[in-house]
Amino acid sequence: MRAKRTPFYDEHLKLDAKMTDFGGFEMPVQYKGIKTEHHAVRKTAGLFDVSHMGEFILSGSSALDLIQKITINDASVLIPGKVQYTAMCFEDGGLVDDLLVYKLDEHRFMMVVNASNIDKDREWVNRHNEFDVGIEDRSESTALLALQGPNAEKILGELTDLPVPDLPYYNFVSGSVAGQNDVLVSATGYTGERGFELYMDIYQTDPVAVWSALLEKGTPHGLEPAGLGARDTLRLETGLLLYGNDITKKTNPIEAGLGWLTKLEKGDFVGRDALLNIREQGPNRKLAGFVMNEARHIPRSDYDICDEDGKKIGFVTSGTHSVTLSKGVGMGYVPVSKAQIGEPINISIRKDLVPATVTKPPFIKK
């Protein structure tokens, strides 16, 4: 089956983007190069097509009840205009997905899920819908752009009257952007920089007009189109988790460092009993960040993590060359005793044991 294409596919080709299959979509990996795009986001601004993400609308008087049942955070604290980072767990505590919940109004919410999990997540939400909540999958009709970087606010401000300078982190507003109405603008992102995500209904707006306007207004401010390659290096420098790598159905939020959003006191939800038991007993392992001691070594997913004697104690879940730091950084699961800040570890790279040091993400200091 041919990979899906986002509304911006032709625009990517015009810019000579290198394309790849990601989450069932043909997506741009890079345009001018990962390093160029990474630096643009850190220093000026980058524009990402992230329309491969999934969006579900939950509506009805019991929509909150369903969200409370299937997510680990406490959505009851949300008010219209607020966003919450959360996750869904299986009964054994393993992670179904991590996601965002938007409270659109009193009885309407939007769930934003990972592209590779859209079908699985939709089935999971429907399976637990004992509340007669309306569930609409708008993934294919939603275009999504991410404008990220220090100049993002200035660029977007030239195209809208929305109060973007005053929009706090994890809040959203809706209105006109580049002449297109009903664009949802959210102060969220996946890069560690100040930025915005723009949700557009492809049947009600012209997403390409917004893309083009952002590039036109943004170019004088150093804006570069950015692909999934830079998106990954940026998120890893900041210590943001990637589903399928750092978190999976075989990992739980306690060991993955997501205990802070696991609200066991909110009442019953799927996976609560298992997570309560894990918290009481303590996890056997933890997701730890690390920095390579020597700049020339680059860690990669699935590399073994070893102790000082060369014994395997864990594995790398994400690893890359940090463009900002000019050295290798990564994350991986190790025993709790080896997850302490400053702990020496070794990464097995082509049969060589290469020294690294456990470091608390984010790896770059803003």
Short mmCIF file of all heavy atoms in Angstrom, two decimals, residues 102-167:
data_model
loop_
_atom_site.label_atom_id
_atom_site.label_comp_id
_atom_site.label_asym_id
_atom_site.label_seq_id
_atom_site.Cartn_x
_atom_site.Cartn_y
_atom_site.Cartn_z
N TYR A 102 -6.43 18.49 24.35
CA TYR A 102 -6.86 19.88 24.25
C TYR A 102 -8.31 19.96 24.75
O TYR A 102 -9.15 19.18 24.29
CB TYR A 102 -6.85 20.35 22.80
CG TYR A 102 -5.48 20.62 22.22
CD1 TYR A 102 -4.57 19.58 21.99
CD2 TYR A 102 -5.11 21.91 21.85
CE1 TYR A 102 -3.33 19.83 21.44
CE2 TYR A 102 -3.86 22.17 21.29
CZ TYR A 102 -2.98 21.12 21.08
OH TYR A 102 -1.76 21.37 20.52
N LYS A 103 -8.59 20.90 25.63
CA LYS A 103 -9.98 21.13 26.02
C LYS A 103 -10.53 22.25 25.13
O LYS A 103 -10.22 23.43 25.32
CB LYS A 103 -10.11 21.50 27.50
CG LYS A 103 -11.58 21.62 27.92
CD LYS A 103 -11.77 21.57 29.42
CE LYS A 103 -13.26 21.54 29.77
NZ LYS A 103 -13.49 21.37 31.22
N LEU A 104 -11.34 21.87 24.15
CA LEU A 104 -11.88 22.82 23.18
C LEU A 104 -13.00 23.65 23.78
O LEU A 104 -13.06 24.86 23.59
CB LEU A 104 -12.37 22.07 21.94
CG LEU A 104 -11.32 21.19 21.24
CD1 LEU A 104 -11.95 20.43 20.08
CD2 LEU A 104 -10.14 22.03 20.75
N ASP A 105 -13.91 23.00 24.47
CA ASP A 105 -14.94 23.68 25.25
C ASP A 105 -15.40 22.72 26.33
O ASP A 105 -14.76 21.67 26.55
CB ASP A 105 -16.10 24.20 24.37
CG ASP A 105 -16.75 23.10 23.55
OD1 ASP A 105 -17.02 22.00 24.09
OD2 ASP A 105 -17.01 23.33 22.34
N GLU A 106 -16.49 23.04 27.01
CA GLU A 106 -16.87 22.28 28.20
C GLU A 106 -17.02 20.79 27.96
O GLU A 106 -16.67 19.96 28.80
CB GLU A 106 -18.16 22.84 28.80
CG GLU A 106 -18.42 22.39 30.24
CD GLU A 106 -17.28 22.77 31.18
OE1 GLU A 106 -16.69 23.85 31.01
OE2 GLU A 106 -16.98 21.97 32.10
N HIS A 107 -17.54 20.42 26.78
CA HIS A 107 -17.80 19.01 26.51
C HIS A 107 -17.14 18.51 25.23
O HIS A 107 -17.57 17.51 24.65
CB HIS A 107 -19.31 18.76 26.44
CG HIS A 107 -20.04 19.09 27.71
ND1 HIS A 107 -19.74 18.50 28.92
CD2 HIS A 107 -21.05 19.97 27.96
CE1 HIS A 107 -20.53 19.00 29.86
NE2 HIS A 107 -21.33 19.89 29.31
N ARG A 108 -16.07 19.19 24.80
CA ARG A 108 -15.34 18.76 23.60
C ARG A 108 -13.84 18.81 23.85
O ARG A 108 -13.32 19.82 24.35
CB ARG A 108 -15.69 19.64 22.38
CG ARG A 108 -17.09 19.42 21.86
CD ARG A 108 -17.39 20.36 20.69
NE ARG A 108 -16.63 20.05 19.50
CZ ARG A 108 -15.68 20.80 18.99
NH1 ARG A 108 -15.33 21.95 19.58
NH2 ARG A 108 -15.05 20.44 17.88
N PHE A 109 -13.19 17.72 23.50
CA PHE A 109 -11.75 17.60 23.68
C PHE A 109 -11.12 17.10 22.38
O PHE A 109 -11.76 16.42 21.58
CB PHE A 109 -11.41 16.60 24.79
CG PHE A 109 -11.87 17.01 26.16
CD1 PHE A 109 -13.19 16.81 26.56
CD2 PHE A 109 -10.99 17.59 27.06
CE1 PHE A 109 -13.62 17.18 27.83
CE2 PHE A 109 -11.41 17.95 28.34
CZ PHE A 109 -12.74 17.75 28.72
N MET A 110 -9.87 17.44 22.17
CA MET A 110 -9.09 16.88 21.06
C MET A 110 -7.91 16.12 21.63
O MET A 110 -7.17 16.62 22.48
CB MET A 110 -8.61 17.98 20.12
CG MET A 110 -7.76 17.44 18.96
SD MET A 110 -7.39 18.65 17.65
CE MET A 110 -6.29 19.78 18.53
N MET A 111 -7.74 14.89 21.15
CA MET A 111 -6.56 14.09 21.49
C MET A 111 -5.63 14.10 20.29
O MET A 111 -6.06 13.84 19.17
CB MET A 111 -6.96 12.65 21.83
CG MET A 111 -7.86 12.52 23.05
SD MET A 111 -8.44 10.81 23.31
CE MET A 111 -6.88 9.95 23.53
N VAL A 112 -4.35 14.38 20.51
CA VAL A 112 -3.36 14.37 19.43
C VAL A 112 -2.40 13.22 19.71
O VAL A 112 -1.69 13.23 20.73
CB VAL A 112 -2.61 15.71 19.34
CG1 VAL A 112 -1.62 15.69 18.18
CG2 VAL A 112 -3.59 16.87 19.17
N VAL A 113 -2.38 12.25 18.81
CA VAL A 113 -1.62 11.01 19.03
C VAL A 113 -0.54 10.85 17.97
O VAL A 113 -0.53 11.54 16.95
CB VAL A 113 -2.57 9.79 19.02
CG1 VAL A 113 -3.67 9.96 20.06
CG2 VAL A 113 -3.19 9.58 17.62
N ASN A 114 0.36 9.92 18.21
CA ASN A 114 1.47 9.69 17.29
C ASN A 114 1.02 8.99 16.01
O ASN A 114 0.13 8.13 16.04
CB ASN A 114 2.56 8.86 17.98
CG ASN A 114 3.35 9.67 18.98
OD1 ASN A 114 4.00 10.64 18.63
ND2 ASN A 114 3.27 9.30 20.26
N ALA A 115 1.66 9.36 14.91
CA ALA A 115 1.24 8.89 13.59
C ALA A 115 1.18 7.37 13.48
O ALA A 115 0.21 6.81 12.95
CB ALA A 115 2.17 9.47 12.52
N SER A 116 2.19 6.70 13.98
CA SER A 116 2.25 5.25 13.85
C SER A 116 1.24 4.53 14.74
O SER A 116 1.03 3.32 14.59
CB SER A 116 3.66 4.75 14.19
OG SER A 116 4.03 5.13 15.51
N ASN A 117 0.60 5.27 15.64
CA ASN A 117 -0.34 4.66 16.59
C ASN A 117 -1.80 5.03 16.33
O ASN A 117 -2.67 4.70 17.14
CB ASN A 117 0.02 5.08 18.02
CG ASN A 117 1.32 4.47 18.49
OD1 ASN A 117 1.74 3.43 18.00
ND2 ASN A 117 1.98 5.13 19.43
N ILE A 118 -2.10 5.73 15.23
CA ILE A 118 -3.46 6.24 15.02
C ILE A 118 -4.49 5.13 15.08
O ILE A 118 -5.48 5.22 15.83
CB ILE A 118 -3.56 7.00 13.68
CG1 ILE A 118 -2.74 8.30 13.75
CG2 ILE A 118 -5.02 7.32 13.36
CD1 ILE A 118 -2.66 9.04 12.42
N ASP A 119 -4.30 4.07 14.32
CA ASP A 119 -5.29 2.98 14.28
C ASP A 119 -5.40 2.29 15.63
O ASP A 119 -6.50 2.01 16.11
CB ASP A 119 -4.92 1.97 13.19
CG ASP A 119 -5.05 2.54 11.78
OD1 ASP A 119 -5.77 3.55 11.61
OD2 ASP A 119 -4.44 1.98 10.86
N LYS A 120 -4.26 2.00 16.24
CA LYS A 120 -4.25 1.34 17.55
C LYS A 120 -4.93 2.20 18.61
O LYS A 120 -5.74 1.71 19.40
CB LYS A 120 -2.81 1.03 17.96
CG LYS A 120 -2.67 0.40 19.34
CD LYS A 120 -1.22 0.28 19.76
CE LYS A 120 -0.59 1.62 20.06
NZ LYS A 120 0.79 1.49 20.61
N ASP A 121 -4.61 3.49 18.61
CA ASP A 121 -5.17 4.40 19.62
C ASP A 121 -6.68 4.57 19.43
O ASP A 121 -7.43 4.61 20.41
CB ASP A 121 -4.49 5.76 19.55
CG ASP A 121 -3.07 5.73 20.06
OD1 ASP A 121 -2.61 4.66 20.51
OD2 ASP A 121 -2.39 6.78 20.02
N ARG A 122 -7.11 4.70 18.19
CA ARG A 122 -8.55 4.85 17.93
C ARG A 122 -9.31 3.63 18.43
O ARG A 122 -10.37 3.75 19.07
CB ARG A 122 -8.79 5.05 16.43
CG ARG A 122 -10.27 5.28 16.09
CD ARG A 122 -10.47 5.49 14.60
NE ARG A 122 -10.00 4.36 13.82
CZ ARG A 122 -8.96 4.40 12.99
NH1 ARG A 122 -8.28 5.53 12.81
NH2 ARG A 122 -8.58 3.31 12.32
N GLU A 123 -8.77 2.45 18.18
CA GLU A 123 -9.42 1.23 18.64
C GLU A 123 -9.43 1.17 20.17
O GLU A 123 -10.41 0.76 20.78
CB GLU A 123 -8.67 0.01 18.07
CG GLU A 123 -9.36 -1.32 18.31
CD GLU A 123 -9.11 -1.91 19.69
OE1 GLU A 123 -8.04 -1.64 20.27
OE2 GLU A 123 -9.99 -2.65 20.19
N TRP A 124 -8.34 1.63 20.79
CA TRP A 124 -8.23 1.61 22.25
C TRP A 124 -9.26 2.55 22.89
O TRP A 124 -9.92 2.20 23.86
CB TRP A 124 -6.82 1.99 22.65
CG TRP A 124 -6.53 1.89 24.13
CD1 TRP A 124 -6.44 2.91 25.03
CD2 TRP A 124 -6.31 0.68 24.88
NE1 TRP A 124 -6.16 2.43 26.28
CE2 TRP A 124 -6.08 1.07 26.22
CE3 TRP A 124 -6.28 -0.66 24.53
CZ2 TRP A 124 -5.81 0.13 27.22
CZ3 TRP A 124 -6.02 -1.58 25.54
CH2 TRP A 124 -5.79 -1.19 26.85
N VAL A 125 -9.38 3.74 22.33
CA VAL A 125 -10.34 4.72 22.86
C VAL A 125 -11.77 4.19 22.70
O VAL A 125 -12.58 4.26 23.64
CB VAL A 125 -10.19 6.08 22.16
CG1 VAL A 125 -11.26 7.05 22.63
CG2 VAL A 125 -8.80 6.67 22.43
N ASN A 126 -12.06 3.65 21.54
CA ASN A 126 -13.41 3.11 21.31
C ASN A 126 -13.72 1.92 22.20
O ASN A 126 -14.84 1.77 22.68
CB ASN A 126 -13.56 2.71 19.83
CG ASN A 126 -13.93 3.87 18.93
OD1 ASN A 126 -15.01 4.44 19.05
ND2 ASN A 126 -13.02 4.23 18.04
N ARG A 127 -12.71 1.10 22.45
CA ARG A 127 -12.92 -0.09 23.29
C ARG A 127 -13.37 0.29 24.69
O ARG A 127 -14.16 -0.42 25.33
CB ARG A 127 -11.63 -0.91 23.37
CG ARG A 127 -11.79 -2.20 24.18
CD ARG A 127 -10.46 -2.84 24.51
NE ARG A 127 -9.64 -3.11 23.33
CZ ARG A 127 -8.44 -3.70 23.39
NH1 ARG A 127 -7.93 -4.05 24.57
NH2 ARG A 127 -7.75 -3.91 22.29
N HIS A 128 -12.88 1.42 25.19
CA HIS A 128 -13.20 1.83 26.56
C HIS A 128 -14.30 2.87 26.64
O HIS A 128 -14.56 3.43 27.71
CB HIS A 128 -11.93 2.36 27.25
CG HIS A 128 -10.90 1.29 27.47
ND1 HIS A 128 -9.90 1.03 26.57
CD2 HIS A 128 -10.75 0.39 28.48
CE1 HIS A 128 -9.16 0.03 27.02
NE2 HIS A 128 -9.65 -0.38 28.18
N ASN A 129 -14.98 3.11 25.52
CA ASN A 129 -16.04 4.11 25.50
C ASN A 129 -17.36 3.52 25.97
O ASN A 129 -18.23 3.16 25.17
CB ASN A 129 -16.19 4.69 24.10
CG ASN A 129 -17.21 5.81 24.04
OD1 ASN A 129 -17.61 6.36 25.07
ND2 ASN A 129 -17.64 6.16 22.84
N GLU A 130 -17.50 3.45 27.27
CA GLU A 130 -18.75 2.96 27.86
C GLU A 130 -19.65 4.14 28.25
O GLU A 130 -20.65 3.96 28.93
CB GLU A 130 -18.44 2.12 29.11
CG GLU A 130 -17.71 2.90 30.19
CD GLU A 130 -17.19 2.03 31.32
OE1 GLU A 130 -16.68 0.93 31.05
OE2 GLU A 130 -17.32 2.46 32.48
N PHE A 131 -19.29 5.34 27.80
CA PHE A 131 -19.97 6.56 28.23
C PHE A 131 -20.81 7.19 27.13
O PHE A 131 -21.33 8.29 27.30
CB PHE A 131 -18.94 7.58 28.72
CG PHE A 131 -18.01 7.06 29.77
CD1 PHE A 131 -16.74 6.59 29.42
CD2 PHE A 131 -18.40 7.01 31.10
CE1 PHE A 131 -15.87 6.12 30.39
CE2 PHE A 131 -17.53 6.53 32.07
CZ PHE A 131 -16.27 6.08 31.72
N ASP A 132 -20.91 6.53 25.97
CA ASP A 132 -21.65 7.08 24.84
C ASP A 132 -21.08 8.42 24.38
O ASP A 132 -21.80 9.36 24.05
CB ASP A 132 -23.14 7.23 25.19
CG ASP A 132 -24.01 7.43 23.95
OD1 ASP A 132 -23.63 6.93 22.88
OD2 ASP A 132 -25.05 8.11 24.05
N VAL A 133 -19.75 8.50 24.38
CA VAL A 133 -19.06 9.70 23.93
C VAL A 133 -18.89 9.65 22.41
O VAL A 133 -18.55 8.60 21.85
CB VAL A 133 -17.68 9.82 24.61
CG1 VAL A 133 -16.85 10.95 24.01
CG2 VAL A 133 -17.86 10.02 26.11
N GLY A 134 -19.12 10.76 21.75
CA GLY A 134 -18.88 10.83 20.32
C GLY A 134 -17.39 10.87 20.04
O GLY A 134 -16.67 11.68 20.63
N ILE A 135 -16.90 9.99 19.17
CA ILE A 135 -15.47 9.92 18.85
C ILE A 135 -15.32 10.06 17.34
O ILE A 135 -15.80 9.23 16.57
CB ILE A 135 -14.85 8.59 19.32
CG1 ILE A 135 -15.04 8.42 20.83
CG2 ILE A 135 -13.37 8.54 18.95
CD1 ILE A 135 -14.65 7.05 21.35
N GLU A 136 -14.65 11.13 16.93
CA GLU A 136 -14.46 11.40 15.50
C GLU A 136 -12.97 11.47 15.19
O GLU A 136 -12.25 12.27 15.79
CB GLU A 136 -15.13 12.72 15.11
CG GLU A 136 -15.01 13.05 13.64
CD GLU A 136 -15.64 14.40 13.29
OE1 GLU A 136 -16.16 15.08 14.21
OE2 GLU A 136 -15.59 14.76 12.10
N ASP A 137 -12.52 10.63 14.27
CA ASP A 137 -11.13 10.63 13.86
C ASP A 137 -10.96 11.66 12.73
O ASP A 137 -11.42 11.45 11.61
CB ASP A 137 -10.73 9.24 13.37
CG ASP A 137 -9.25 9.14 13.00
OD1 ASP A 137 -8.58 10.19 12.97
OD2 ASP A 137 -8.78 8.02 12.75
N ARG A 138 -10.30 12.76 13.04
CA ARG A 138 -10.08 13.81 12.06
C ARG A 138 -8.64 13.84 11.54
O ARG A 138 -8.19 14.85 10.99
CB ARG A 138 -10.43 15.18 12.66
CG ARG A 138 -11.92 15.36 12.93
CD ARG A 138 -12.23 16.80 13.27
NE ARG A 138 -13.63 16.99 13.59
CZ ARG A 138 -14.15 18.13 14.03
NH1 ARG A 138 -13.36 19.20 14.16
NH2 ARG A 138 -15.43 18.23 14.31
N SER A 139 -7.94 12.75 11.70
CA SER A 139 -6.53 12.71 11.33
C SER A 139 -6.31 13.05 9.86
O SER A 139 -5.40 13.82 9.51
CB SER A 139 -5.94 11.33 11.63
OG SER A 139 -6.13 11.00 13.00
N GLU A 140 -7.13 12.48 8.97
CA GLU A 140 -6.92 12.68 7.54
C GLU A 140 -7.40 14.04 7.06
O GLU A 140 -6.99 14.49 5.98
CB GLU A 140 -7.60 11.56 6.75
CG GLU A 140 -6.97 10.19 6.98
CD GLU A 140 -7.48 9.14 6.02
OE1 GLU A 140 -8.27 9.50 5.12
OE2 GLU A 140 -7.09 7.97 6.16
N SER A 141 -8.22 14.71 7.82
CA SER A 141 -8.72 16.02 7.40
C SER A 141 -8.02 17.17 8.11
O SER A 141 -8.40 18.33 7.94
CB SER A 141 -10.23 16.11 7.64
OG SER A 141 -10.54 16.02 9.02
N THR A 142 -6.99 16.86 8.90
CA THR A 142 -6.29 17.89 9.66
C THR A 142 -4.86 18.07 9.15
O THR A 142 -4.10 17.10 9.07
CB THR A 142 -6.24 17.54 11.15
OG1 THR A 142 -7.58 17.40 11.65
CG2 THR A 142 -5.53 18.63 11.94
N ALA A 143 -4.54 19.29 8.76
CA ALA A 143 -3.16 19.65 8.42
C ALA A 143 -2.53 20.30 9.64
O ALA A 143 -3.19 21.06 10.36
CB ALA A 143 -3.14 20.61 7.23
N LEU A 144 -1.26 20.01 9.87
CA LEU A 144 -0.60 20.51 11.07
C LEU A 144 0.81 20.98 10.74
O LEU A 144 1.62 20.25 10.18
CB LEU A 144 -0.54 19.40 12.13
CG LEU A 144 0.16 19.71 13.46
CD1 LEU A 144 -0.43 20.92 14.14
CD2 LEU A 144 0.09 18.49 14.38
N LEU A 145 1.08 22.24 11.08
CA LEU A 145 2.41 22.82 10.93
C LEU A 145 2.98 23.18 12.30
O LEU A 145 2.23 23.57 13.19
CB LEU A 145 2.35 24.09 10.06
CG LEU A 145 1.97 23.92 8.60
CD1 LEU A 145 1.85 25.28 7.93
CD2 LEU A 145 2.99 23.05 7.86
N ALA A 146 4.29 23.05 12.43
CA ALA A 146 4.97 23.46 13.66
C ALA A 146 6.00 24.53 13.31
O ALA A 146 6.93 24.27 12.54
CB ALA A 146 5.65 22.26 14.32
N LEU A 147 5.80 25.72 13.85
CA LEU A 147 6.72 26.85 13.68
C LEU A 147 7.49 26.99 14.97
O LEU A 147 6.92 27.36 16.00
CB LEU A 147 5.92 28.12 13.37
CG LEU A 147 6.71 29.42 13.21
CD1 LEU A 147 7.63 29.36 12.00
CD2 LEU A 147 5.76 30.61 13.12
N GLN A 148 8.80 26.70 14.94
CA GLN A 148 9.58 26.60 16.17
C GLN A 148 10.85 27.44 16.10
O GLN A 148 11.51 27.50 15.06
CB GLN A 148 9.97 25.14 16.41
CG GLN A 148 8.78 24.19 16.53
CD GLN A 148 8.12 24.25 17.87
OE1 GLN A 148 8.70 23.89 18.89
NE2 GLN A 148 6.87 24.70 17.91
N GLY A 149 11.20 28.07 17.21
CA GLY A 149 12.45 28.81 17.29
C GLY A 149 12.28 30.18 17.89
O GLY A 149 11.16 30.68 18.06
N PRO A 150 13.38 30.86 18.22
CA PRO A 150 13.34 32.18 18.86
C PRO A 150 12.56 33.23 18.08
O PRO A 150 11.99 34.15 18.68
CB PRO A 150 14.81 32.56 18.97
CG PRO A 150 15.56 31.27 18.96
CD PRO A 150 14.77 30.36 18.07
N ASN A 151 12.52 33.12 16.75
CA ASN A 151 11.82 34.12 15.94
C ASN A 151 10.40 33.69 15.55
O ASN A 151 9.73 34.39 14.79
CB ASN A 151 12.61 34.43 14.67
CG ASN A 151 13.90 35.17 14.96
OD1 ASN A 151 14.08 35.70 16.06
ND2 ASN A 151 14.80 35.21 14.01
N ALA A 152 9.94 32.56 16.08
CA ALA A 152 8.63 32.04 15.70
C ALA A 152 7.51 33.03 16.04
O ALA A 152 6.59 33.26 15.25
CB ALA A 152 8.38 30.70 16.40
N GLU A 153 7.60 33.61 17.22
CA GLU A 153 6.57 34.55 17.67
C GLU A 153 6.50 35.77 16.75
O GLU A 153 5.41 36.23 16.38
CB GLU A 153 6.89 34.97 19.10
CG GLU A 153 5.83 35.77 19.78
CD GLU A 153 6.20 36.03 21.23
OE1 GLU A 153 6.19 35.08 22.03
OE2 GLU A 153 6.54 37.19 21.55
N LYS A 154 7.65 36.28 16.38
CA LYS A 154 7.71 37.45 15.50
C LYS A 154 7.12 37.13 14.12
O LYS A 154 6.35 37.90 13.55
CB LYS A 154 9.16 37.91 15.36
CG LYS A 154 9.35 39.17 14.55
CD LYS A 154 10.84 39.50 14.40
CE LYS A 154 11.49 39.69 15.75
NZ LYS A 154 12.94 40.04 15.63
N ILE A 155 7.47 35.97 13.57
CA ILE A 155 7.00 35.58 12.24
C ILE A 155 5.49 35.39 12.23
O ILE A 155 4.79 35.93 11.38
CB ILE A 155 7.71 34.29 11.79
CG1 ILE A 155 9.21 34.55 11.62
CG2 ILE A 155 7.10 33.77 10.49
CD1 ILE A 155 10.04 33.29 11.50
N LEU A 156 4.99 34.63 13.20
CA LEU A 156 3.55 34.37 13.25
C LEU A 156 2.78 35.66 13.51
O LEU A 156 1.68 35.87 12.97
CB LEU A 156 3.24 33.33 14.33
CG LEU A 156 1.78 32.88 14.44
CD1 LEU A 156 1.28 32.29 13.12
CD2 LEU A 156 1.63 31.85 15.56
N GLY A 157 3.34 36.54 14.32
CA GLY A 157 2.68 37.80 14.64
C GLY A 157 2.44 38.69 13.43
O GLY A 157 1.53 39.53 13.44
N GLU A 158 3.22 38.50 12.36
CA GLU A 158 3.03 39.29 11.15
C GLU A 158 1.88 38.77 10.29
O GLU A 158 1.49 39.40 9.31
CB GLU A 158 4.32 39.30 10.32
CG GLU A 158 5.47 40.04 11.00
CD GLU A 158 6.71 40.15 10.12
OE1 GLU A 158 6.59 39.86 8.91
OE2 GLU A 158 7.77 40.53 10.64
N LEU A 159 1.32 37.62 10.68
CA LEU A 159 0.28 36.99 9.86
C LEU A 159 -1.04 36.81 10.60
O LEU A 159 -1.97 36.21 10.06
CB LEU A 159 0.76 35.61 9.37
CG LEU A 159 1.93 35.64 8.38
CD1 LEU A 159 2.50 34.25 8.20
CD2 LEU A 159 1.46 36.21 7.04
N THR A 160 -1.12 37.31 11.82
CA THR A 160 -2.35 37.12 12.59
C THR A 160 -2.52 38.23 13.62
O THR A 160 -1.54 38.84 14.06
CB THR A 160 -2.33 35.76 13.31
OG1 THR A 160 -3.56 35.56 14.02
CG2 THR A 160 -1.18 35.67 14.31
N ASP A 161 -3.78 38.46 13.99
CA ASP A 161 -4.09 39.38 15.08
C ASP A 161 -4.27 38.64 16.40
O ASP A 161 -4.56 39.26 17.42
CB ASP A 161 -5.38 40.16 14.75
CG ASP A 161 -5.17 41.13 13.60
OD1 ASP A 161 -4.04 41.63 13.44
OD2 ASP A 161 -6.14 41.38 12.85
N LEU A 162 -4.10 37.33 16.37
CA LEU A 162 -4.21 36.56 17.61
C LEU A 162 -3.10 36.97 18.58
O LEU A 162 -1.99 37.34 18.15
CB LEU A 162 -4.10 35.05 17.31
CG LEU A 162 -5.27 34.44 16.52
CD1 LEU A 162 -4.93 33.01 16.10
CD2 LEU A 162 -6.54 34.45 17.36
N PRO A 163 -3.37 36.90 19.88
CA PRO A 163 -2.39 37.36 20.88
C PRO A 163 -1.26 36.37 21.11
O PRO A 163 -1.05 35.90 22.23
CB PRO A 163 -3.25 37.53 22.13
CG PRO A 163 -4.31 36.49 21.99
CD PRO A 163 -4.62 36.42 20.52
N VAL A 164 -0.51 36.06 20.05
CA VAL A 164 0.54 35.05 20.20
C VAL A 164 1.66 35.46 21.18
O VAL A 164 2.21 34.59 21.87
CB VAL A 164 1.13 34.65 18.82
CG1 VAL A 164 0.12 33.85 18.03
CG2 VAL A 164 1.57 35.86 18.02
N PRO A 165 2.01 36.75 21.30
CA PRO A 165 3.05 37.08 22.28
C PRO A 165 2.63 36.79 23.71
O PRO A 165 3.48 36.56 24.58
CB PRO A 165 3.28 38.58 22.06
CG PRO A 165 2.79 38.86 20.69
CD PRO A 165 1.62 37.94 20.51
N ASP A 166 1.32 36.81 23.96
CA ASP A 166 0.82 36.61 25.32
C ASP A 166 0.32 35.19 25.56
O ASP A 166 -0.26 34.91 26.62
CB ASP A 166 -0.33 37.59 25.60
CG ASP A 166 0.09 39.04 25.42
OD1 ASP A 166 1.21 39.38 25.86
OD2 ASP A 166 -0.68 39.82 24.83
N LEU A 167 0.53 34.30 24.58
CA LEU A 167 0.01 32.95 24.71
C LEU A 167 0.97 32.09 25.54
O LEU A 167 2.08 31.80 25.10
CB LEU A 167 -0.18 32.33 23.32
CG LEU A 167 -0.95 31.01 23.24
CD1 LEU A 167 -2.38 31.19 23.75
CD2 LEU A 167 -0.97 30.48 21.81
#
